[in-house]
Amino acid sequence: TANVSPDRPIVTIQQHIIEGQQRYPGATGELSWLLSGITLATKIIQDRVRQAGLLDVLGATGTNNVQGEMVQKLDVIANETLMRCLGYRGNVGMMISEEDAEPRIVQDVGEEGRYVVLFDPLDGSSNIDVNVPIGTIFSILRRKPDIDRSDAMPHILQAGIQQVAAGYVLYGSSTVMVYTAGDGVHIFTLDPAIGAYVLTQENVQMPENGRTYSVNEAYSLTFPRGVQKYLEWAKSEEAGGYSLRYVGSLVSDFHRTLLRGGVFLYPPTQKDQFGKLRLLYEANPIAFLAEQAGGIASDGRQRILEKQPRSIHERTPLIVGNRDEAKRVLSFWGE
Ligand code: P6P
């Protein structure tokens, strides 16, 4: 439902970010330079994703990454592409990836490397072989000015509220980038003919009447009792008709929630007692976008953006959705 009409200007993401930054006194254009590294990388990644079946890139590489999961070749390509596009921008000091146990510290950027970029290069990669939409998720922090670069952790383990910008690219029926720098959520669609992300929706707000819940009900017997009670209520006559939508790809499930409302849940389970999703490069960027779109993102007890990370691959439960629905889930959870 792009609200683009013939008399509207064609705005690329670079233009939008520069215009947005001009509203901030002292903006240096550094963020737009950094983001152009991400847009370049995701244009390359989307090309490889769409060719995957043809390039015999499908299938696992047979090696395991730090997550202990089978690494799909596209994961490796996406990770290396982001590292190569971001690592030479001059203003990136360190990069943290779901694929790497340790952060990559960019050498010889000196004091210039003021930004910390965290990303899940290809989230939901187990869906690649069955052609389910997958995504790249990114989060941008500033290095803490008063702490020496030699110790990376204090610059990385910052609460989500410190994010400068965050977003994702969804490689779906079209390639869309959803992005915020704290001034609203904006959606850009890639026009492959010209290789540019073009603004298609601005200042997106989550609809308030979402009647959809998105959860892997196969684990429901080991969910916290309050979550089970919410799911029982949502199926009841009194609730008035909900539907379940679950793709199993976080970016796809969140993108639907952003545009249609409702709630996405990944509660603690017996298998993942602290939830499955990663705080730094999955829950935090998603939570920043959700709040900028008028929604709520919580771990069941506290606001995701206020959680103090203790390790870079730390997991968290996640409830994210339109305000009323997320509050309803939390009211059951708290019981
Ligand atoms: P489950 C994909 O592997 C992922 O990390 C997210 O994209 C997705 O939301 C979740 O895991 C799905 O997990 O346990 O339902 O298969």
Side-chain angles (χ1 to χ4, degrees), residues 123-124 126 216 219 246 248-250 264 266 276-277 282:
D123 176 73
S126 53
N216 187 336
Y219 310 139
Y246 194 73
S249 169
L250 174 62
F264 171 85
Y266 207 108
K276 175 182 181 184
L277 301 176
E282 289 176 342

Side-chain angles (χ1 to χ4, degrees), residues 206 254 264 283-291 294-307 317-323 326 330:
M206 272 191 199
F254 177 74
F264 171 85
N284 271 344
I286 292 294
F288 190 13
L289 290 162
E291 291 197 5
I296 285 181
S298 165
D299 69 356
R301 287 197 183 78
Q302 71 177 116
R303 190 178 168 214
I304 291 285
L305 293 183
E306 289 176 351
K307 292 187 75 154
L318 176 64
I319 302 100
V320 59
N322 69 270
R323 183 167 297 281
L330 293 171

Side-chain angles (χ1 to χ4, degrees), residues 117-177:
V117 185
L118 307 97
F119 49 82
D120 185 351
L122 213 50
D123 176 73
S125 51
S126 53
N127 294 305
I128 292 173
D129 291 357
V130 292
N131 208 22
V132 164
I134 49 184
T136 297
I137 312 172
F138 62 90
S139 168
I140 301 173
L141 296 167
R142 273 206 189 85
R143 262 191 17 229
K144 296 173 82 78
D146 49 355
I147 297 180
D148 184 66
R149 282 169 48 84
S150 59
D151 177 7
M153 282 306 149
H155 303 287
I156 297 168
L157 302 180
Q158 298 184 56
I161 196 76
Q162 300 298 333
Q163 290 175 100
V164 175
Y168 57 80
V169 174
L170 175 57
Y171 309 106
S173 45
S174 59
T175 298
V176 294
M177 173 174 279

